[in-house]
Amino acid sequence: MAVVAKWMCDRDNSMFDSKKDADAYDKMLELAEQFTELLQRQIPEVDEVKAEEFGIFLAKNKEAIISACKGKTEALAELHEGGDSNVHSLAAEG
Amino acid sequence: MAVVAKWMCDRDNSMFDSKKDADAYDKMLELAEQFTELLQRQIPEVDEVKAEEFGIFLAKNKEAIISACKGKTEALAELHEGGDSNVHSLAAEG
């Protein structure tokens, strides 16, 4: 028997083996939440679940967003091709 | 009588006195277009005009977005208070 340290992100109770991974995930969700709220403020009638998924999608692809904002706008155009399997599966219920 | 150089952004025929300003505006609209298309790919049923306004809003606030993506997530939360009068006026028709 052994006791193993785990780290939980209390935003959605996701579990991680390392604090580093848990922190990164927590930070991603924090950014996602801000993007979602921004979208909801600008387009109040947007579907709540889809707004959350969009926020997560942006947060997971923040490097591409930074590139685009710095002038490499094609970085955003490339996003839909590679896709993000995790976001897609969340989006399945619509 | 005099002939004065003007610069037009052919995305929406906006006129500018300097090439630098016209270039910056063109680049902003290019980024806006990418954000709009990204939103439309993720949420196809979103209102087209509002998606365009959201793209412009994000593009005009790209510095805040870069900050947020780099860890200063509160930069996005601050956006709705200052607002962007130009985007708001465009949004008035809904």
Side-chain angles (χ1 to χ4, degrees):
Chain A
M1 296 288 281
V3 175
V4 180
K6 290 276 183 181
W7 301 87
M8 188 182 82
C9 171
D10 69 1
R11 286 176 196 272
D12 66 354
N13 295 356
S14 293
M15 299 296 299
F16 295 87
D17 291 336
S18 80
K19 183 169 187 306
K20 186 185 166 195
D21 289 348
D23 278 338
Y25 184 78
D26 182 60
K27 203 73 189 168
M28 185 279 291
L29 283 188
E30 189 183 325
L31 178 60
E33 199 174 290
Q34 291 298 327
F35 275 126
T36 296
E37 287 175 9
L38 192 65
L39 176 61
Q40 289 175 325
R41 284 198 301 270
Q42 298 293 314
I43 309 181
E45 69 275 26
V46 73
D47 180 86
E48 189 177 339
V49 173
K50 292 185 179 178
E52 284 175 12
E53 290 164 357
F54 185 65
I56 290 173
F57 181 80
L58 291 183
K60 287 194 171 182
N61 290 291
K62 66 177 182 178
E63 296 305 330
I65 291 173
I66 292 173
S67 293
C69 287
K70 289 184 172 177
K72 193 174 167 290
T73 50
E74 65 273 20
L76 293 184
E78 290 159 6
L79 282 186
H80 71 300
E81 293 172 23
D84 183 313
S85 58
N86 197 9
V87 171
H88 284 196
S89 69
L90 282 169
E93 305 300 324
Chain B
M1 297 289 282
V3 176
V4 180
K6 291 275 183 182
W7 301 87
M8 187 182 81
C9 172
D10 69 0
R11 286 176 196 272
D12 66 354
N13 294 357
S14 294
M15 299 296 299
F16 296 86
D17 291 336
S18 79
K19 183 168 188 305
K20 187 185 166 195
D21 290 348
D23 277 338
Y25 184 77
D26 181 61
K27 202 73 189 168
M28 185 280 291
L29 284 189
E30 187 183 326
L31 178 60
E33 199 176 289
Q34 291 299 326
F35 275 127
T36 296
E37 287 176 8
L38 192 64
L39 175 61
Q40 289 175 324
R41 285 198 300 270
Q42 298 294 312
I43 309 181
E45 69 275 25
V46 73
D47 180 86
E48 189 177 338
V49 173
K50 292 185 179 178
E52 283 174 12
E53 290 164 357
F54 185 65
I56 290 173
F57 181 81
L58 291 183
K60 286 193 172 183
N61 291 290
K62 66 177 182 178
E63 295 305 330
I65 291 173
I66 291 174
S67 293
C69 287
K70 287 183 172 178
K72 194 173 167 289
T73 51
E74 65 272 22
L76 293 183
E78 291 159 5
L79 283 186
H80 71 300
E81 293 170 23
D84 181 315
S85 58
N86 197 9
V87 170
H88 283 196
S89 69
L90 282 170
E93 305 300 324

